[in-house]
Amino acid sequence: MPDTQSFSVLNNFRKAVAAGEFLVTAEVAPPKGGDPTQMLKMAATLKGRVHAVNITDGSRAVMRMSSLVASAILLQNGIEPICQVACRDRNRIGLQADLMGAHALGIRNILALTGDPVKAGDHPEAKAVFDLEAVRLLQLIRKMNQGIDFNEKILNDGALDLFAGAAVDPQSKSWSGLQSRFEKKVEAGAQFFQSQLITDFEILEKFMDKIAAGYNKPILAGIFLLKSAKNAQFINKAVPGVNIPQHIIDRLAKAKDPLEEGIKIAAEQVQIARELCQGVHMMAVKREDAIAPILDLAGVEKVS
């Protein structure tokens, strides 16, 4: 039986939130297979550059290693994870089991998500669960932090200590729906918010001024590394609600080195985001090693 005291606990992200620091997180996908070497290689490039590494949980309903297990592997290697927990694949029993397991392993940061629809992924015939959704999952985490389960029965072996966040999409077409959902997540216990990919920073500014202002919850703007014009066009087709502006696509198409141009664009967006909100959430699919150069170019200092 493992000695649970041997698991390290990292709380740098929570401390940075409390201190009001400019926050930097980055997304890394778990492996599609049993070997975490590539995931660790990419995550290692982020050491000292981000406050925490966000591990996806079946993003786009594509099957990968458990986010809980992948987060534990990062923690064992001295990298603080934010473990995504999606409601799509587990009922309330499974969700509570994983949350207790996360706490026991020393994982403290949780991003509570409803989850992408099954038909969008690589197992479209799988049966979706959706017993809960993001707001009710946040409520559940708050209960478990208070030492009670979903049915308000006492957790005999101790309360949890999880730092829960949620997703937000400032570019949502329904402004009233966006405001209502955001407020419900704050009320349910969300301590931070990571946004979807941001392409319209005027909309982000409006969201910050009209909705987020007054709640004192950090918003991390989603910054996505576009590797080429073709990549940008694919994102426009494949990701609902995202519209990469044509001038950016043209800029990538004309560049001698599209990846280098994409890094410059991402750095410029980080600089804009710094003027509007408390952090950035970096996404660079399969090129997480480019995140540090983006942050350098944007003038973002290393994290302590």
Side-chain angles (χ1 to χ4, degrees):
M1 200 173 165
D3 176 8
T4 56
Q5 298 301 314
S6 66
F7 291 114
S8 63
V9 175
L10 296 174
N11 283 295
N12 295 330
F13 179 67
R14 190 188 308 203
K15 291 174 183 175
V17 170
E21 294 179 24
F22 182 74
L23 305 166
V24 184
T25 62
E27 196 163 283
V28 173
K32 193 161 188 176
D35 185 356
T37 302
Q38 181 63 19
M39 177 189 73
L40 285 171
K41 180 181 177 182
M42 290 295 101
T45 67
L46 302 170
K47 274 191 174 182
R49 299 316 314 255
V50 303
H51 291 93
V53 173
N54 193 300
I55 296 295
T56 58
D57 184 13
S59 178
R60 295 184 296 112
V62 173
M63 183 277 297
R64 286 183 177 272
M65 181 184 287
S66 155
S67 59
L68 174 60
V69 172
S71 294
I73 292 171
L74 287 195
L75 195 59
Q76 290 171 352
N77 285 270
I79 300 168
E80 181 168 357
I82 297 175
C83 180
Q84 289 189 7
V85 177
C87 297
R88 178 191 56 242
D89 306 320
R90 284 154 287 190
N91 64 16
R92 65 195 68 181
I93 298 172
L95 289 167
Q96 289 176 99
D98 281 355
L99 291 168
M100 289 186 287
H103 174 90
L105 289 169
I107 296 165
R108 292 293 180 263
N109 307 310
I110 301 292
L111 191 72
L113 303 171
T114 299
D116 297 318
V118 166
K119 291 191 180 300
D122 61 351
H123 288 67
E125 301 304 318
K127 185 175 181 180
V129 180
F130 293 116
D131 186 22
L132 305 181
E133 44 69 51
V135 173
R136 296 180 76 196
L137 177 56
L138 287 164
Q139 293 168 342
L140 171 60
I141 292 170
R142 183 170 59 189
K143 281 185 175 184
M144 298 185 82
N145 282 345
Q146 295 168 347
I148 55 177
D149 68 11
F150 186 89
N151 293 324
E152 301 194 354
K153 302 294 184 182
I154 293 175
L155 297 174
N156 294 325
D157 294 310
L160 308 189
D161 179 26
L162 301 175
F163 190 62
V168 64
D169 184 6
Q171 298 168 151
S172 172
K173 292 181 180 180
S174 171
W175 195 253
S176 60
L178 170 62
Q179 181 168 4
S180 173
R181 191 77 173 156
F182 179 79
E183 291 174 349
K184 286 178 180 178
K185 288 180 178 180
V186 171
E187 185 179 348
Q191 299 299 312
F192 66 94
F193 287 85
Q194 290 181 339
S195 93
Q196 307 290 1
L197 188 167
I198 297 292
T199 56
D200 189 332
F201 288 87
E202 290 184 4
I203 291 289
L204 175 62
E205 184 174 15
K206 181 182 177 183
F207 167 77
M208 294 302 301
D209 291 342
K210 303 294 185 182
I211 295 180
Y215 285 100
N216 197 32
K217 301 297 180 186
I219 309 296
L220 284 75
I223 307 295
F224 191 92
L225 171 63
L226 297 167
K227 306 179 194 73
S228 65
K230 185 177 179 181
N231 178 221
Q233 290 165 342
F234 172 78
I235 295 296
N236 276 347
K237 289 181 180 178
V239 182
V242 171
N243 180 28
I244 310 296
Q246 187 61 43
H247 71 87
I248 288 182
I249 296 174
D250 292 342
R251 185 173 162 183
L252 290 164
K254 294 174 183 176
K256 290 183 180 180
D257 186 335
L259 177 60
E260 183 179 336
E261 195 66 26
I263 288 172
K264 290 179 182 177
I265 292 168
E268 292 164 9
Q269 292 176 336
V270 170
Q271 290 174 323
I272 296 169
R274 289 188 78 169
E275 301 299 318
L276 301 176
C277 56
Q278 196 186 327
V280 288
H281 175 56
M282 307 299 298
M283 294 170 278
V285 179
K286 296 182 180 179
R287 285 307 308 263
E288 290 85 356
D289 57 315
I291 290 175
I294 292 169
L295 296 172
D296 285 337
L297 196 57
V300 177
E301 297 179 358
K302 293 182 178 181
V303 303
S304 55

